[in-house]
Amino acid sequence: MVKKTMKMKRVLQCALFGMIAVGMSTTVSAQSSELEKVMTDRGLTQQDMLAAAKTYTPSGKLDEYYVFSSGGQSGQVIVYGVPSMRILKYIAVFTPEPWQGYGIGDVESQKVLDGGKMRGKTITWGDTHHPGLSETNGEYDGDYLFINDKANPRVAVIDLKTFSTTQIVANPIFKNEHGGAFVTPNTEYILEAAQLPAPLTNEYVSLDEFNEKYRGGMTMWKFDRKRGKISVKDSFSVELPPYSQDLSDAGKKISEGWVFCNSFNSERYVGGFGPGNTKYKDRLPHEAGMSSKDTDYLHMINLKVAENLFKEGKTTKINGHDVLMMKTMVENNALFLIPEPKSPHGVMIDPTGQYLTVSGKLDTHVSVYDFKKMKALIDAKKFEDKDPYGIPILSMKDSLHGQVELGLGPLHTQYDSVKGIAYTSLFVDSAIAKWDYLNLKLIEKVAIHYNVGHLVAAEGDTVSPDGKYLIGLNKLAIDRFLQVGPLHPQNHQLIDITAGQPMKLIYDMPLPLGEPHYAVMIKADKLKPIKRFKQKWFKHRVRPGREGVIRDGNKVTINSTLIRSHFSPEMIELKVGDEVTWHITNLERAQDETHGFSIGFYNINGSIEPGETNTFTFTADMEGVFPYYCTEFCSALHLEMAGYILVKP
Ligand code: K7E
Ligand code: CUA
């Protein structure tokens, strides 16, 4: 024991000597003994010190990677840096967010949120699951991020120049989704697959007609890179059977032009468990009936053919949206099924585009499919069977490269920079398996705390993964952090996956903002965020000296500017019933000089960033005196940055 401590001391001193310039030996030994004291006091091991050295990022130093994580039920996206695991931003997406002035009185952001109305109804939250980065030739390019909302089938576009949401599109035919947002190798399309089947129209249809009238599907949202927007009119969907479609992935390299999506409940079982059901009383629970068969189906869609069929007008309009019916897809050899181990979660395509990994949650195996074999079967028209909707089924045996037993509850897979190496999360085992999907063997496992869902490796779903870092997105934290009551944060655990070394867990990060599902990790130098807006980008910008209040009947336009530390104009008299349009330009050029703008009682709060112009609209429907002020501590005289609106009867 004593020997061990002595040895450790020496190792540490050596390490420290190495880090600090020679010739300062008194300082070094002082620091070395301080380091030893800290280790003793805090009960840290040498392994802990090494992990700290790998993650600690001194003040002023920047991270190597950005992670964009879904924010689950918060309806937002979480941004943090790797390896420090420091949280950088919560990007407001589907949920109004006051600090970013998102959806709290500002016209532009309200327009974005309004794009996400479902059948005319305003939705104030989302269940974000899978962020997807824009790609060029299968590589992340750092321009855009997309994310889906599982609860209210929608997809959002986030501009990575400003890290803000610029568009939300509502799915016109799905009632629920999950398999989005996945991006094709040149961001031509963003994929969104349905999950719980429902009629594609908006009518009531009895559950007795589930097999005949309930449907799944996949929407191909066309991305217009020039405009940085999804072009709704150039987007279409493919009708799919009422199997619960799960995750999707777009083919790359040799599988480019194909889309894959797995599914569960190909039994098409609808339960009725527990007292109080008004339909199907006393049936087995939904979940039991959903996993009675040994296999479900992996869907294979020929996107190139589907795109041509859409362009040729072979679609059916449903809710005004173009849908390619299954029959059309089958007639044109564009839709196939392959059995996969039951209740799978995720299909992930390897960097070469040839191998697809599918994990059956209820199986200990992970199945590796070979695209070349699948394609050969399709080309030879060698089908094993047809499903009840006439879709050809390929032989599972003939499509498989092989299967590997990894452990209990395999879910999701990411790839390494080393050829043939993959990482798969094991939910039940609370572990991550490193394995060789070419030679079909398990290499090692690392324990995770606890119940890992998705995992993300650096650029781990691109054509050239980076290796180095892997993060387990754990569902439970249990005892890892200080207790904060019964609702615990999630735990993102950073793992060092440097090639040639055993995997090492090096950091725990609590994430207390909904339950993240998937995340993507991109090299930081690929992003080029702006530091300030150009004033000329805004149609309603207010130039200094041109401020003022213009009244036209009860329509009042206020043109304001902001600069440290005053609003101009400051005192504004209104009358009850005035419809107010308030343009505010932040004249600042200095980095990080954001001004806030809030009016109490009127539910208005904005964030006006350097160079930006925001427009706020409201009806002055309350008589009284309402102070307004800047909500950012922008300067020493920040408290003085205020004014009044005085609403006369
Ligand atoms: Cu939770 Cu990808 Cu929606 Cu798995 S998903 S964890
Ligand atoms: Cu501007 Cu406080």
PDB file of all heavy atoms in Angstrom, residues 58 71 77 80 99 132 144 154 173 213 250 255 287 330 336 342 359-360 406 447 451 471 514 579-580 601-602 613:
ATOM      1  N   PRO A  58      -8.895  25.046 -19.442  1.00  0.00           N
ATOM      2  CA  PRO A  58      -8.598  26.267 -18.678  1.00  0.00           C
ATOM      3  C   PRO A  58      -9.328  27.481 -19.240  1.00  0.00           C
ATOM      4  O   PRO A  58      -9.673  27.517 -20.426  1.00  0.00           O
ATOM      5  CB  PRO A  58      -7.091  26.434 -18.841  1.00  0.00           C
ATOM      6  CG  PRO A  58      -6.582  25.139 -19.352  1.00  0.00           C
ATOM      7  CD  PRO A  58      -7.710  24.491 -20.090  1.00  0.00           C
ATOM      8  N   GLY A  71     -33.328  18.166 -26.715  1.00  0.00           N
ATOM      9  CA  GLY A  71     -33.702  18.564 -25.359  1.00  0.00           C
ATOM     10  C   GLY A  71     -34.969  17.868 -24.906  1.00  0.00           C
ATOM     11  O   GLY A  71     -35.605  18.310 -23.956  1.00  0.00           O
ATOM     12  N   VAL A  77     -33.002  22.546 -28.059  1.00  0.00           N
ATOM     13  CA  VAL A  77     -31.770  21.840 -28.393  1.00  0.00           C
ATOM     14  C   VAL A  77     -30.695  22.334 -27.440  1.00  0.00           C
ATOM     15  O   VAL A  77     -30.579  23.532 -27.191  1.00  0.00           O
ATOM     16  CB  VAL A  77     -31.369  22.105 -29.867  1.00  0.00           C
ATOM     17  CG1 VAL A  77     -29.915  21.723 -30.122  1.00  0.00           C
ATOM     18  CG2 VAL A  77     -32.284  21.338 -30.819  1.00  0.00           C
ATOM     19  N   TYR A  80     -23.410  21.909 -26.175  1.00  0.00           N
ATOM     20  CA  TYR A  80     -22.294  21.943 -25.226  1.00  0.00           C
ATOM     21  C   TYR A  80     -20.986  21.607 -25.924  1.00  0.00           C
ATOM     22  O   TYR A  80     -20.982  21.153 -27.069  1.00  0.00           O
ATOM     23  CB  TYR A  80     -22.552  21.064 -24.000  1.00  0.00           C
ATOM     24  CG  TYR A  80     -22.799  19.589 -24.210  1.00  0.00           C
ATOM     25  CD1 TYR A  80     -21.750  18.679 -24.291  1.00  0.00           C
ATOM     26  CD2 TYR A  80     -24.094  19.095 -24.263  1.00  0.00           C
ATOM     27  CE1 TYR A  80     -21.985  17.326 -24.423  1.00  0.00           C
ATOM     28  CE2 TYR A  80     -24.340  17.729 -24.408  1.00  0.00           C
ATOM     29  CZ  TYR A  80     -23.276  16.845 -24.487  1.00  0.00           C
ATOM     30  OH  TYR A  80     -23.514  15.500 -24.618  1.00  0.00           O
ATOM     31  N   TRP A  99     -35.241  34.356 -22.685  1.00  0.00           N
ATOM     32  CA  TRP A  99     -33.908  34.972 -22.782  1.00  0.00           C
ATOM     33  C   TRP A  99     -33.538  35.265 -24.236  1.00  0.00           C
ATOM     34  O   TRP A  99     -32.982  36.308 -24.562  1.00  0.00           O
ATOM     35  CB  TRP A  99     -32.857  34.052 -22.134  1.00  0.00           C
ATOM     36  CG  TRP A  99     -31.447  34.521 -22.371  1.00  0.00           C
ATOM     37  CD1 TRP A  99     -30.929  35.743 -22.020  1.00  0.00           C
ATOM     38  CD2 TRP A  99     -30.409  33.799 -23.018  1.00  0.00           C
ATOM     39  NE1 TRP A  99     -29.606  35.799 -22.411  1.00  0.00           N
ATOM     40  CE2 TRP A  99     -29.265  34.621 -23.024  1.00  0.00           C
ATOM     41  CE3 TRP A  99     -30.316  32.524 -23.572  1.00  0.00           C
ATOM     42  CZ2 TRP A  99     -28.051  34.227 -23.574  1.00  0.00           C
ATOM     43  CZ3 TRP A  99     -29.112  32.118 -24.124  1.00  0.00           C
ATOM     44  CH2 TRP A  99     -27.996  32.967 -24.123  1.00  0.00           C
ATOM     45  N   GLY A 132     -30.098  16.490 -36.638  1.00  0.00           N
ATOM     46  CA  GLY A 132     -29.309  16.068 -37.801  1.00  0.00           C
ATOM     47  C   GLY A 132     -28.607  17.289 -38.368  1.00  0.00           C
ATOM     48  O   GLY A 132     -29.225  18.337 -38.543  1.00  0.00           O
ATOM     49  N   TYR A 144     -26.297  23.999 -41.062  1.00  0.00           N
ATOM     50  CA  TYR A 144     -27.655  23.916 -40.505  1.00  0.00           C
ATOM     51  C   TYR A 144     -27.795  22.706 -39.598  1.00  0.00           C
ATOM     52  O   TYR A 144     -27.081  21.700 -39.741  1.00  0.00           O
ATOM     53  CB  TYR A 144     -28.706  23.790 -41.629  1.00  0.00           C
ATOM     54  CG  TYR A 144     -28.738  24.990 -42.520  1.00  0.00           C
ATOM     55  CD1 TYR A 144     -28.009  25.008 -43.708  1.00  0.00           C
ATOM     56  CD2 TYR A 144     -29.465  26.129 -42.161  1.00  0.00           C
ATOM     57  CE1 TYR A 144     -28.011  26.125 -44.522  1.00  0.00           C
ATOM     58  CE2 TYR A 144     -29.471  27.250 -42.970  1.00  0.00           C
ATOM     59  CZ  TYR A 144     -28.745  27.244 -44.156  1.00  0.00           C
ATOM     60  OH  TYR A 144     -28.746  28.351 -44.950  1.00  0.00           O
ATOM     61  N   ARG A 154     -43.384  17.440 -36.431  1.00  0.00           N
ATOM     62  CA  ARG A 154     -42.845  18.655 -37.041  1.00  0.00           C
ATOM     63  C   ARG A 154     -41.338  18.535 -37.175  1.00  0.00           C
ATOM     64  O   ARG A 154     -40.705  17.730 -36.489  1.00  0.00           O
ATOM     65  CB  ARG A 154     -43.168  19.877 -36.147  1.00  0.00           C
ATOM     66  CG  ARG A 154     -44.654  20.078 -35.958  1.00  0.00           C
ATOM     67  CD  ARG A 154     -44.960  21.259 -35.083  1.00  0.00           C
ATOM     68  NE  ARG A 154     -44.538  21.057 -33.707  1.00  0.00           N
ATOM     69  CZ  ARG A 154     -44.644  21.976 -32.751  1.00  0.00           C
ATOM     70  NH1 ARG A 154     -45.142  23.167 -33.027  1.00  0.00           N
ATOM     71  NH2 ARG A 154     -44.249  21.713 -31.530  1.00  0.00           N
ATOM     72  N   ILE A 173     -49.681  15.087 -42.702  1.00  0.00           N
ATOM     73  CA  ILE A 173     -50.454  13.828 -42.688  1.00  0.00           C
ATOM     74  C   ILE A 173     -50.219  12.947 -41.461  1.00  0.00           C
ATOM     75  O   ILE A 173     -51.058  12.122 -41.141  1.00  0.00           O
ATOM     76  CB  ILE A 173     -50.193  12.993 -43.970  1.00  0.00           C
ATOM     77  CG1 ILE A 173     -48.699  12.760 -44.169  1.00  0.00           C
ATOM     78  CG2 ILE A 173     -50.796  13.688 -45.199  1.00  0.00           C
ATOM     79  CD1 ILE A 173     -48.375  11.758 -45.282  1.00  0.00           C
ATOM     80  N   LYS A 213     -57.178   1.217 -42.722  1.00  0.00           N
ATOM     81  CA  LYS A 213     -57.153   2.674 -42.889  1.00  0.00           C
ATOM     82  C   LYS A 213     -56.104   3.424 -42.074  1.00  0.00           C
ATOM     83  O   LYS A 213     -55.896   4.607 -42.298  1.00  0.00           O
ATOM     84  CB  LYS A 213     -58.542   3.233 -42.585  1.00  0.00           C
ATOM     85  CG  LYS A 213     -59.603   2.700 -43.555  1.00  0.00           C
ATOM     86  CD  LYS A 213     -60.707   3.703 -43.759  1.00  0.00           C
ATOM     87  CE  LYS A 213     -61.657   3.248 -44.846  1.00  0.00           C
ATOM     88  NZ  LYS A 213     -63.040   3.669 -44.553  1.00  0.00           N
ATOM     89  N   ALA A 250     -30.383   7.715 -43.928  1.00  0.00           N
ATOM     90  CA  ALA A 250     -30.248   7.848 -45.370  1.00  0.00           C
ATOM     91  C   ALA A 250     -28.994   7.107 -45.794  1.00  0.00           C
ATOM     92  O   ALA A 250     -27.964   7.198 -45.124  1.00  0.00           O
ATOM     93  CB  ALA A 250     -30.143   9.318 -45.744  1.00  0.00           C
ATOM     94  N   SER A 255     -24.793   3.070 -50.892  1.00  0.00           N
ATOM     95  CA  SER A 255     -26.239   2.979 -50.655  1.00  0.00           C
ATOM     96  C   SER A 255     -26.918   4.346 -50.810  1.00  0.00           C
ATOM     97  O   SER A 255     -28.089   4.504 -50.459  1.00  0.00           O
ATOM     98  CB  SER A 255     -26.518   2.393 -49.277  1.00  0.00           C
ATOM     99  OG  SER A 255     -25.861   3.142 -48.275  1.00  0.00           O
ATOM    100  N   GLU A 287     -48.159  -3.280 -25.262  1.00  0.00           N
ATOM    101  CA  GLU A 287     -46.742  -3.641 -25.400  1.00  0.00           C
ATOM    102  C   GLU A 287     -46.568  -5.153 -25.553  1.00  0.00           C
ATOM    103  O   GLU A 287     -45.676  -5.615 -26.266  1.00  0.00           O
ATOM    104  CB  GLU A 287     -45.952  -3.060 -24.219  1.00  0.00           C
ATOM    105  CG  GLU A 287     -45.572  -4.037 -23.150  1.00  0.00           C
ATOM    106  CD  GLU A 287     -45.854  -3.521 -21.731  1.00  0.00           C
ATOM    107  OE1 GLU A 287     -46.705  -2.638 -21.539  1.00  0.00           O
ATOM    108  OE2 GLU A 287     -45.225  -4.048 -20.814  1.00  0.00           O
ATOM    109  N   VAL A 330     -44.659  -0.004 -54.935  1.00  0.00           N
ATOM    110  CA  VAL A 330     -44.388  -1.426 -55.205  1.00  0.00           C
ATOM    111  C   VAL A 330     -44.330  -1.668 -56.713  1.00  0.00           C
ATOM    112  O   VAL A 330     -43.400  -2.314 -57.213  1.00  0.00           O
ATOM    113  CB  VAL A 330     -45.457  -2.321 -54.528  1.00  0.00           C
ATOM    114  CG1 VAL A 330     -45.331  -3.772 -54.996  1.00  0.00           C
ATOM    115  CG2 VAL A 330     -45.322  -2.238 -53.012  1.00  0.00           C
ATOM    116  N   PHE A 336     -39.367  -2.045 -50.275  1.00  0.00           N
ATOM    117  CA  PHE A 336     -39.113  -3.441 -49.881  1.00  0.00           C
ATOM    118  C   PHE A 336     -39.062  -3.549 -48.365  1.00  0.00           C
ATOM    119  O   PHE A 336     -38.852  -2.550 -47.673  1.00  0.00           O
ATOM    120  CB  PHE A 336     -37.773  -3.921 -50.471  1.00  0.00           C
ATOM    121  CG  PHE A 336     -37.694  -3.712 -51.959  1.00  0.00           C
ATOM    122  CD1 PHE A 336     -37.152  -2.532 -52.482  1.00  0.00           C
ATOM    123  CD2 PHE A 336     -38.200  -4.659 -52.837  1.00  0.00           C
ATOM    124  CE1 PHE A 336     -37.099  -2.320 -53.846  1.00  0.00           C
ATOM    125  CE2 PHE A 336     -38.149  -4.448 -54.206  1.00  0.00           C
ATOM    126  CZ  PHE A 336     -37.606  -3.267 -54.716  1.00  0.00           C
ATOM    127  N   LYS A 342     -37.002  -8.691 -33.410  1.00  0.00           N
ATOM    128  CA  LYS A 342     -38.192  -7.957 -32.966  1.00  0.00           C
ATOM    129  C   LYS A 342     -37.924  -6.722 -32.119  1.00  0.00           C
ATOM    130  O   LYS A 342     -36.957  -6.655 -31.384  1.00  0.00           O
ATOM    131  CB  LYS A 342     -39.139  -8.896 -32.232  1.00  0.00           C
ATOM    132  CG  LYS A 342     -38.688  -9.371 -30.875  1.00  0.00           C
ATOM    133  CD  LYS A 342     -39.839 -10.134 -30.241  1.00  0.00           C
ATOM    134  CE  LYS A 342     -39.385 -10.997 -29.083  1.00  0.00           C
ATOM    135  NZ  LYS A 342     -40.484 -11.824 -28.590  1.00  0.00           N
ATOM    136  N   SER A 359     -30.423  -3.130 -34.065  1.00  0.00           N
ATOM    137  CA  SER A 359     -30.424  -3.766 -32.753  1.00  0.00           C
ATOM    138  C   SER A 359     -31.848  -4.130 -32.378  1.00  0.00           C
ATOM    139  O   SER A 359     -32.720  -3.276 -32.399  1.00  0.00           O
ATOM    140  CB  SER A 359     -29.875  -2.809 -31.700  1.00  0.00           C
ATOM    141  OG  SER A 359     -28.637  -2.300 -32.099  1.00  0.00           O
ATOM    142  N   GLY A 360     -32.064  -5.372 -32.042  1.00  0.00           N
ATOM    143  CA  GLY A 360     -33.371  -5.777 -31.514  1.00  0.00           C
ATOM    144  C   GLY A 360     -33.329  -5.559 -30.022  1.00  0.00           C
ATOM    145  O   GLY A 360     -32.544  -6.195 -29.333  1.00  0.00           O
ATOM    146  N   LEU A 406     -23.974  -8.975 -28.182  1.00  0.00           N
ATOM    147  CA  LEU A 406     -23.279  -7.890 -27.486  1.00  0.00           C
ATOM    148  C   LEU A 406     -23.695  -7.754 -26.035  1.00  0.00           C
ATOM    149  O   LEU A 406     -22.917  -7.331 -25.193  1.00  0.00           O
ATOM    150  CB  LEU A 406     -23.528  -6.558 -28.205  1.00  0.00           C
ATOM    151  CG  LEU A 406     -22.929  -6.381 -29.603  1.00  0.00           C
ATOM    152  CD1 LEU A 406     -23.222  -4.996 -30.115  1.00  0.00           C
ATOM    153  CD2 LEU A 406     -21.430  -6.636 -29.599  1.00  0.00           C
ATOM    154  N   ALA A 447     -18.826   0.186 -18.542  1.00  0.00           N
ATOM    155  CA  ALA A 447     -20.047   0.373 -17.749  1.00  0.00           C
ATOM    156  C   ALA A 447     -20.488   1.830 -17.790  1.00  0.00           C
ATOM    157  O   ALA A 447     -19.661   2.740 -17.778  1.00  0.00           O
ATOM    158  CB  ALA A 447     -19.814  -0.065 -16.315  1.00  0.00           C
ATOM    159  N   ASN A 451     -28.466   3.041 -17.732  1.00  0.00           N
ATOM    160  CA  ASN A 451     -29.436   2.847 -18.811  1.00  0.00           C
ATOM    161  C   ASN A 451     -29.232   3.810 -19.968  1.00  0.00           C
ATOM    162  O   ASN A 451     -29.967   4.777 -20.145  1.00  0.00           O
ATOM    163  CB  ASN A 451     -30.879   2.941 -18.276  1.00  0.00           C
ATOM    164  CG  ASN A 451     -31.196   1.803 -17.341  1.00  0.00           C
ATOM    165  OD1 ASN A 451     -31.220   2.003 -16.137  1.00  0.00           O
ATOM    166  ND2 ASN A 451     -31.386   0.618 -17.866  1.00  0.00           N
ATOM    167  N   ILE A 471     -20.003   9.773 -26.297  1.00  0.00           N
ATOM    168  CA  ILE A 471     -20.820  10.181 -25.150  1.00  0.00           C
ATOM    169  C   ILE A 471     -22.014   9.244 -25.037  1.00  0.00           C
ATOM    170  O   ILE A 471     -22.697   8.978 -26.033  1.00  0.00           O
ATOM    171  CB  ILE A 471     -21.295  11.644 -25.306  1.00  0.00           C
ATOM    172  CG1 ILE A 471     -20.090  12.589 -25.321  1.00  0.00           C
ATOM    173  CG2 ILE A 471     -22.254  12.035 -24.172  1.00  0.00           C
ATOM    174  CD1 ILE A 471     -20.414  13.983 -25.797  1.00  0.00           C
ATOM    175  N   GLY A 514     -35.259  18.376 -19.781  1.00  0.00           N
ATOM    176  CA  GLY A 514     -35.922  17.361 -20.590  1.00  0.00           C
ATOM    177  C   GLY A 514     -35.006  16.175 -20.799  1.00  0.00           C
ATOM    178  O   GLY A 514     -33.859  16.166 -20.338  1.00  0.00           O
ATOM    179  N   GLU A 579     -53.174  50.039 -31.661  1.00  0.00           N
ATOM    180  CA  GLU A 579     -52.457  48.852 -32.137  1.00  0.00           C
ATOM    181  C   GLU A 579     -51.020  49.264 -32.414  1.00  0.00           C
ATOM    182  O   GLU A 579     -50.758  50.066 -33.307  1.00  0.00           O
ATOM    183  CB  GLU A 579     -53.128  48.311 -33.399  1.00  0.00           C
ATOM    184  CG  GLU A 579     -54.445  47.638 -33.078  1.00  0.00           C
ATOM    185  CD  GLU A 579     -55.268  47.307 -34.302  1.00  0.00           C
ATOM    186  OE1 GLU A 579     -54.697  47.251 -35.416  1.00  0.00           O
ATOM    187  OE2 GLU A 579     -56.488  47.120 -34.126  1.00  0.00           O
ATOM    188  N   VAL A 580     -50.121  48.709 -31.637  1.00  0.00           N
ATOM    189  CA  VAL A 580     -48.748  49.193 -31.631  1.00  0.00           C
ATOM    190  C   VAL A 580     -47.823  48.245 -32.399  1.00  0.00           C
ATOM    191  O   VAL A 580     -47.871  47.034 -32.218  1.00  0.00           O
ATOM    192  CB  VAL A 580     -48.251  49.336 -30.167  1.00  0.00           C
ATOM    193  CG1 VAL A 580     -46.807  49.847 -30.141  1.00  0.00           C
ATOM    194  CG2 VAL A 580     -49.167  50.248 -29.374  1.00  0.00           C
ATOM    195  N   PHE A 601     -46.700  43.303 -17.632  1.00  0.00           N
ATOM    196  CA  PHE A 601     -48.159  43.191 -17.815  1.00  0.00           C
ATOM    197  C   PHE A 601     -48.558  42.854 -19.248  1.00  0.00           C
ATOM    198  O   PHE A 601     -49.614  42.309 -19.482  1.00  0.00           O
ATOM    199  CB  PHE A 601     -48.902  44.483 -17.394  1.00  0.00           C
ATOM    200  CG  PHE A 601     -48.767  44.821 -15.943  1.00  0.00           C
ATOM    201  CD1 PHE A 601     -47.616  45.444 -15.483  1.00  0.00           C
ATOM    202  CD2 PHE A 601     -49.774  44.514 -15.036  1.00  0.00           C
ATOM    203  CE1 PHE A 601     -47.480  45.747 -14.125  1.00  0.00           C
ATOM    204  CE2 PHE A 601     -49.644  44.822 -13.695  1.00  0.00           C
ATOM    205  CZ  PHE A 601     -48.496  45.445 -13.229  1.00  0.00           C
ATOM    206  N   TYR A 602     -47.713  43.174 -20.222  1.00  0.00           N
ATOM    207  CA  TYR A 602     -48.065  42.950 -21.627  1.00  0.00           C
ATOM    208  C   TYR A 602     -47.443  41.666 -22.202  1.00  0.00           C
ATOM    209  O   TYR A 602     -47.593  41.392 -23.384  1.00  0.00           O
ATOM    210  CB  TYR A 602     -47.690  44.168 -22.482  1.00  0.00           C
ATOM    211  CG  TYR A 602     -48.797  45.213 -22.484  1.00  0.00           C
ATOM    212  CD1 TYR A 602     -48.779  46.284 -21.602  1.00  0.00           C
ATOM    213  CD2 TYR A 602     -49.889  45.083 -23.357  1.00  0.00           C
ATOM    214  CE1 TYR A 602     -49.804  47.212 -21.578  1.00  0.00           C
ATOM    215  CE2 TYR A 602     -50.915  46.013 -23.341  1.00  0.00           C
ATOM    216  CZ  TYR A 602     -50.872  47.079 -22.453  1.00  0.00           C
ATOM    217  OH  TYR A 602     -51.898  47.984 -22.454  1.00  0.00           O
ATOM    218  N   THR A 613     -32.533  44.132 -35.572  1.00  0.00           N
ATOM    219  CA  THR A 613     -33.788  44.860 -35.411  1.00  0.00           C
ATOM    220  C   THR A 613     -34.887  43.848 -35.124  1.00  0.00           C
ATOM    221  O   THR A 613     -35.029  42.867 -35.855  1.00  0.00           O
ATOM    222  CB  THR A 613     -34.154  45.626 -36.703  1.00  0.00           C
ATOM    223  OG1 THR A 613     -33.129  46.588 -36.965  1.00  0.00           O
ATOM    224  CG2 THR A 613     -35.495  46.349 -36.566  1.00  0.00           C
TER     225      THR A 613
END
